[in-house]
Amino acid sequence: MERPQRWSTPFGPDMSDADITSLFERDDIAAIDIDRFPKHTPLEGVLRNDTRIVRYRSGDIVVREGDYGNSAFLVLKGNLRVVLAPKLPQSMLGRQNAKKKGFFEALSQLWTNSTIPEVRNLSGYEQQGLRGSSDSPDARVFLQDVPVVLNNHRTAMLREGSLFGELAALGRVPRTATIFSEDDAVLLEIRWQGLRELRKYDQGWRRKIDQRYRESALKNHLQESSMFARLDDTTLNAVADKVLFETYGAFDWNVSFQRLRERGSSQEAPLAKQGDYPDGLLMIRAGFARVSVQHGTGDRTITYLGAGDHFGLGELYAAWKNPDIEDMAMKTSISALGYVDVLRVPAPILEEHVFPFMDPPADTLMELAEHPVSDDALMEWAVEERFVNATRAMVIDLEKCVRCDDCVRACASTHGGNPRFRRHGKSSENLMVANACMHCTDPVCMIGCPTGAIHRSLQSGSVIINDMTCIGCATCANSCPYSNISMVAIRDSNDRPITDPESQKPIMKATKCDYCEGQPGGPACVRACPHDALKRVDFHDYNPTGSM
Amino acid sequence: MARKIPMSLVLFGVLALASFAALFWQSRLITVQLGDASILTGYTLFVTILLLGMFNARKKLSMIPLGRARTWLIFHVVLGVFALALFWLHTGGIWPLGLYEQLLAGSFYLVSASGVFGYLLQKALPSRLTHTGIEIIYDRIPAEIAEIRERAETLVIECTKETGSETVAQHYVGTLFWYFQKPRFLFAHLFGGDAAGFWLRGPGSAARRYLNDVEKKLFDEILDLAALKAHVDRHYVCQGVMKKWLFLHIPLAVSVVTLAVWHLILVNVYVL
Ligand code: SF4
């Protein structure tokens, strides 16, 4: 058997034999039963290829609250601190300080905007707690005065042997706390693929991860669903114990999506197939899934599901109501669009706690399948191109757009004279999704930013980049599956390129649409379009023929 | 599908009608009392003209929340129609008597006509562009045409090399080169005609009957590029006209404001 493909690009290329040996000497690794790992994915291979050893200096921020990440951490040496309360200010985390511009400050852009592209004022960059540059592997933001932080904030300590970040890594949910290194520390960073293997083959890790998940997130998630709202705490705990959580597809779906798109094919992990026996309700926790029915020789997409949606309720209810029907089967198929994280609630749980107390569910999916195929063209396209990930896609109606570029000029006028999108993109019939950041539900661009410069604004939910802490490594631009992030070389006010004094290389910055964060009046592009051609849409609620 | 009438259009329309009715009534009243109604109508017209100019200022001030440009455009259009009616009320006819007034009226009519022309263009041309199935940024069009020409010429050379025959090359030099050189059939593209397609099916592909199978295959690829260029040409002319009509409308509007200011000074100095 060939070794798994991902191992051709190890997570940490510098893992030496000595590193592996010392890992095996640790209690937490030695406790893992290596015999449970299959031959093609031995534990040693997982450690060598799916983990890396990372060293942090005192004050270095390891994870930030609100960041997305694909990896978990095991403390090998040193002490870390989890910030409990009060939270660290955004500026300390390397993020942009959210401040809405006043009327006159906004107006002043009329004369302060430069005619030179990408001009930056260098003085601001010096005050940032930033270590390393785009070339260094350990570039990160650090807290400049750890004792003061410890004095002013309540923290919890993470000592050697602690595991953290596993829920964010496996469930694609934002990190729930900021963790920094109190003194020099050594961590084992485990990428999601390795973590999945550890959870799959080792009982101890599985128990540890699952228990934490059940304690911290599962109950809340069930409570949020109206189906389980009436259950008391004890029953809910019993239900939570029976629920299974499953992940389909790959977290780095953006990479395979780009590759598959180039090849013109798509590959989706199936969750349930049309004709299968319904054995449990699938509740989508994160990611997206395509629901389809067989049509002619292909599969016709009838809808897509996202976080909070569920699948299979109609069939399960019908099976419960009509126990005599033997060949009860799923009427539709469901597959992961990229990746999807689901909870599987076994049928007996529903039969005991849910069905007796609910009205028969409407068969909305099959109603959708009765529409003419042409009605679904827009949705099919949005799913195919993964625009369903967007919360604010820039959709331009080409039947109305007079190509005047007022939108582009308005964008430039609110961004120092530099437009942050291209009035160009993929089209279907009269609709074009322009190359503007879509502020995705699953922001893959945010994964791997070494300084956390790209982040979600707490105020608006927009994905924004802090220019001050962006080191120009292009991780985000390379991850964005829609090519909506541009790398630009910055210049000074005399139109000279700004270069790194050591390497003499031009300093690059990642730029993109920030949905006019901090500007009064919302996105300038929408306001500027005189023909009502440009809208920012979430495809979930988008109806091009009606009003939004 | 029928488009919905925007609420703001209804609102501005009703307001404009009511204002005009009130002005009409008031000016009749002043005339009956042997007063000079043109002062009221003239100053209102002047303010209206200035308000019309605000639409352009709004475009330069996108960084501040001045409302949606869509609403401003509707306001601009309704106000334009209102200004025309007011102009007739003010002058008491279609064409005034004095030479200066005729110059002012001429400019006013031209700016109104260019406005109507631009408005109609913006309603008609976008869908004509969308139906080409391609989208291209205006400034990229010359480079795009050059790229298409280069690809066509590469195919011509390939054809000559592969077949040893010069039939396609001769046809290219004699006929197709003219077409690939720059945007062609501009009027037809602008008015929605298919002169380019007609030409390509006629003179453009006249040499096809003299070609063997290998030549035909490459020649058809050249014709595909020619069809693509027809779409690009359509974008060139339609996008160009949609951008350039403003070069007529705005300077004319500026001249109307200038002439109106001078008219106001003259009236205040000599008549009142
Ligand atoms: S402002 Fe509106 S009409 Fe003008 S180019 Fe942008 S989307 Fe098109």
Side-chain angles (χ1 to χ4, degrees):
Chain A
M1 170 112 192
E2 280 181 6
R3 63 181 187 155
Q5 251 188 4
R6 66 167 193 272
W7 287 358
S8 45
T9 325
F11 191 35
D14 304 327
M15 286 293 272
S16 65
D17 289 344
D19 289 334
I20 303 293
T21 314
S22 70
L23 282 177
F24 271 113
E25 282 163 5
R26 297 179 52 85
D27 291 347
D28 31 25
I29 303 289
I32 299 174
D33 183 356
I34 50 172
D35 296 335
R36 290 198 165 267
F37 283 74
K39 277 204 189 75
H40 55 79
T41 318
L43 175 62
E44 194 251 315
V46 171
L47 292 177
R48 190 180 291 279
N49 297 291
D50 289 327
T51 71
R52 65 181 174 201
I53 291 174
V54 195
R55 281 160 222 286
Y56 289 87
R57 282 193 261 164
S58 170
D60 281 357
I61 293 178
V62 182
V63 296
R64 268 162 294 259
E65 183 182 351
D67 270 7
Y68 286 74
N70 267 349
S71 50
F73 299 84
L74 178 70
V75 184
L76 300 181
K77 218 170 98 193
N79 293 323
L80 305 182
R81 289 282 180 167
V82 186
V83 182
L84 302 174
K87 291 176 180 173
L88 292 178
Q90 294 291 297
S91 55
M92 265 196 187
L93 301 178
R95 291 179 179 158
Q96 200 165 297
N97 252 338
K99 198 179 118 264
K100 203 138 201 117
K101 285 193 172 96
F103 182 85
F104 289 107
E105 199 184 345
L107 180 65
S108 70
Q109 295 172 108
L110 188 61
W111 53 89
T112 53
N113 280 348
S114 173
T115 49
I116 304 165
E118 305 300 347
V119 171
R120 298 293 193 279
N121 175 3
L122 295 186
S123 60
Y125 290 112
E126 261 111 61
Q127 295 140 24
Q128 300 300 315
L130 200 58
R131 247 198 270 283
S133 66
S134 61
D135 294 336
S136 41
D138 57 349
R140 54 184 73 111
V141 170
F142 65 95
L143 302 176
Q144 302 189 17
D145 198 341
V146 174
V148 169
V149 171
L150 292 177
N151 251 338
N152 298 342
H153 301 262
R154 205 151 50 77
T155 59
M157 187 172 283
L158 289 176
R159 295 174 205 283
E160 192 180 322
S162 309
L163 177 74
F164 64 92
E166 74 287 1
L167 298 184
L170 287 178
R172 191 60 140 265
V173 285
R175 308 262 190 211
T176 49
T178 297
I179 298 176
F180 67 92
S181 168
E182 186 179 356
D183 39 38
D184 290 356
V186 183
L187 306 187
L188 183 71
E189 188 176 0
I190 312 163
R191 67 176 171 189
W192 65 271
Q193 295 96 330
L195 200 61
R196 242 193 222 182
E197 309 289 16
L198 287 167
R199 178 173 172 263
K200 192 161 152 195
Y201 299 119
D202 183 67
Q203 291 291 332
W205 279 64
R206 183 183 193 91
R207 214 175 309 118
K208 193 159 37 177
I209 294 171
D210 289 9
Q211 190 187 335
R212 277 211 220 177
Y213 179 62
R214 283 183 206 282
E215 279 165 6
S216 62
L218 181 58
K219 233 174 89 184
N220 286 348
H221 196 76
L222 290 176
Q223 256 162 346
E224 277 165 16
S225 161
S226 57
M227 273 183 279
F228 300 100
R230 48 165 290 283
L231 302 187
D232 60 42
D233 232 36
T234 331
T235 325
L236 200 65
N237 282 336
V239 170
D241 274 347
K242 301 264 169 45
V243 168
L244 308 169
F245 36 95
E246 302 165 2
T247 301
Y248 294 84
F251 281 117
D252 48 4
W253 62 268
N254 51 318
V255 181
S256 52
F257 170 63
Q258 274 162 335
R259 253 188 263 126
L260 292 170
R261 192 158 63 174
E262 276 154 27
R263 275 192 258 136
S265 59
S266 66
Q267 213 173 46
E268 290 168 9
L271 278 70
K273 287 222 177 84
Q274 189 175 349
D276 281 358
Y277 181 76
D279 63 348
L281 176 76
L282 297 177
M283 297 173 71
I284 313 282
R285 222 169 61 83
F288 295 97
R290 181 204 299 264
V291 179
S292 56
V293 283
Q294 279 166 9
H295 187 82
T297 56
D299 285 323
R300 171 185 171 192
T301 307
I302 52 173
T303 190
Y304 68 94
L305 306 177
D309 294 330
H310 52 71
F311 176 84
L313 189 66
E315 288 92 337
L316 287 162
Y317 188 87
W320 171 72
K321 266 277 176 205
N322 311 289
D324 303 337
I325 303 176
E326 276 176 11
D327 54 351
M328 190 57 76
M330 302 299 299
K331 294 179 189 161
T332 52
S333 298
I334 181 168
S335 55
L337 276 174
Y339 98 98
V340 66
D341 208 13
V342 294
L343 301 177
R344 192 181 286 268
V345 187
I349 295 278
L350 297 166
E351 287 165 7
E352 188 184 343
H353 300 292
V354 178
F355 291 157
F357 311 99
M358 69 181 272
D359 295 331
D363 201 354
T364 41
L365 286 183
M366 290 324 286
E367 275 167 27
L368 289 171
E370 277 154 24
H371 293 175
V373 179
S374 55
D375 282 6
D376 297 339
L378 175 67
M379 196 252 315
E380 187 88 57
W381 174 67
V383 167
E384 219 41 70
E385 296 291 345
R386 302 291 190 270
F387 293 143
V388 291
N389 194 6
T391 63
R392 295 154 192 185
M394 181 187 283
V395 177
I396 298 181
D397 183 345
L398 298 172
E399 297 261 321
K400 291 184 187 169
C401 172
V402 302
R403 284 77 169 172
C404 63
D405 279 331
D406 279 357
C407 47
V408 180
R409 275 187 290 275
C411 180
S413 76
T414 48
H415 295 91
N418 308 290
R420 293 299 182 221
F421 77 95
R422 270 178 294 148
R423 191 181 50 75
H424 199 71
K426 303 227 166 222
S427 319
S428 166
E429 296 175 20
N430 61 321
L431 299 179
M432 176 171 85
V433 174
N435 279 122
C437 173
M438 310 195 297
H439 305 276
C440 296
T441 307
D442 182 21
V444 279
C445 57
M446 277 171 59
I447 296 163
C449 173
T451 64
I454 185 162
H455 60 282
R456 224 189 247 295
S457 154
L458 293 180
Q459 282 75 25
S460 62
S462 306
V463 177
I464 55 178
I465 298 175
N466 182 5
D467 195 71
M468 294 293 162
T469 48
C470 169
I471 55 167
C473 65
T475 305
C476 53
N478 295 333
S479 301
C480 174
Y482 315 99
S483 310
N484 288 343
I485 301 182
S486 307
M487 299 307 298
V488 299
I490 56 172
R491 313 181 78 79
D492 65 18
S493 51
N494 297 317
D495 203 8
R496 282 185 308 239
I498 299 171
T499 51
D500 180 85
E502 276 172 32
S503 65
Q504 293 306 314
K505 285 190 199 159
I507 298 210
M508 308 296 287
K509 295 281 173 185
T511 62
K512 64 174 204 64
C513 158
D514 60 358
Y515 208 66
C516 287
E517 180 81 4
Q519 300 283 344
C525 52
V526 180
R527 277 187 289 124
C529 179
H531 301 278
D532 208 21
L534 188 154
K535 292 194 160 102
R536 304 299 296 253
V537 310
D538 181 333
F539 275 91
H540 237 304
D541 328 308
Y542 184 45
N543 169 16
T545 52
S547 57
M548 280 183 297
Chain B
M1 178 167 293
R3 283 185 186 171
K4 274 201 299 186
I5 297 175
M7 204 44 222
S8 45
L9 177 62
V10 177
L11 196 76
F12 291 141
V14 170
L15 265 176
L17 268 176
S19 312
F20 186 77
L23 273 170
F24 186 78
W25 179 256
Q26 189 62 28
S27 62
R28 287 293 117 184
L29 218 65
I30 295 171
T31 314
V32 168
Q33 290 163 0
L34 301 178
D36 186 0
S38 63
I39 297 171
L40 172 70
T41 54
Y43 270 105
T44 316
L45 181 59
F46 184 68
V47 172
T48 307
I49 288 172
L50 291 182
L51 281 176
L52 280 165
M54 298 284 285
F55 179 50
N56 200 37
R58 152 73 184 82
K59 289 191 182 190
K60 305 272 178 295
L61 295 171
S62 301
M63 67 289 287
I64 48 174
L66 290 176
R68 298 184 64 167
R70 162 82 177 146
T71 316
W72 276 81
L73 177 62
I74 292 172
F75 180 63
H76 186 78
V77 171
V78 172
L79 210 61
V81 177
F82 175 75
L84 195 63
L86 199 54
F87 182 82
W88 288 327
L89 184 65
H90 178 63
T91 55
I94 290 193
W95 193 245
L97 288 178
L99 188 66
Y100 187 81
E101 282 69 27
Q102 285 178 353
L103 185 67
L104 181 51
S107 310
F108 184 79
Y109 284 139
L110 278 177
V111 79
S112 307
S114 66
V116 173
F117 172 70
Y119 185 80
L120 295 178
L121 280 182
Q122 293 183 338
K123 290 285 156 209
L125 297 187
S127 57
R128 206 165 288 166
L129 292 181
T130 310
H131 297 167
T132 60
I134 63 162
E135 203 44 51
I136 180 161
I137 290 171
Y138 186 68
D139 299 336
R140 275 246 346 127
I141 290 178
E144 182 75 21
I145 291 180
E147 260 169 47
I148 293 175
R149 187 173 55 237
E150 219 176 284
R151 276 158 64 196
E153 289 175 0
T154 311
L155 283 169
V156 171
I157 294 167
E158 196 184 316
C159 184
T160 312
K161 270 194 197 152
E162 216 170 285
T163 62
S165 153
E166 289 189 347
T167 321
V168 170
Q170 279 167 0
H171 180 64
Y172 183 83
V173 173
T175 309
L176 287 176
F177 176 70
W178 169 85
Y179 175 78
F180 279 107
Q181 213 181 6
K182 58 181 191 179
R184 300 287 182 193
F185 303 108
L186 300 185
F187 278 103
H189 284 309
L190 187 60
F191 293 107
D194 187 30
F198 187 70
W199 185 87
L200 283 173
R201 287 189 295 276
S205 51
R208 198 171 185 280
R209 76 184 70 154
Y210 309 109
L211 306 179
N212 64 28
D213 285 350
V214 181
E215 286 174 307
K216 264 187 192 148
K217 195 181 148 279
L218 290 165
F219 187 69
D220 286 345
E221 284 181 41
I222 296 172
L223 288 182
D224 286 346
L225 287 173
L228 173 65
K229 183 181 166 280
H231 291 326
V232 177
D233 289 353
R234 179 159 292 200
H235 272 270
Y236 176 75
V237 62
C238 293
Q239 287 198 40
V241 169
M242 279 195 289
K243 283 183 198 300
K244 285 173 191 153
W245 76 274
L246 278 175
F247 292 123
L248 189 69
H249 188 64
I250 293 176
L252 279 170
V254 173
S255 68
V256 167
V257 174
T258 318
L259 290 169
V261 169
W262 188 241
H263 171 73
L264 210 71
I265 293 170
L266 289 183
V267 168
N268 274 288
V269 172
Y270 293 107
V271 182
L272 296 181

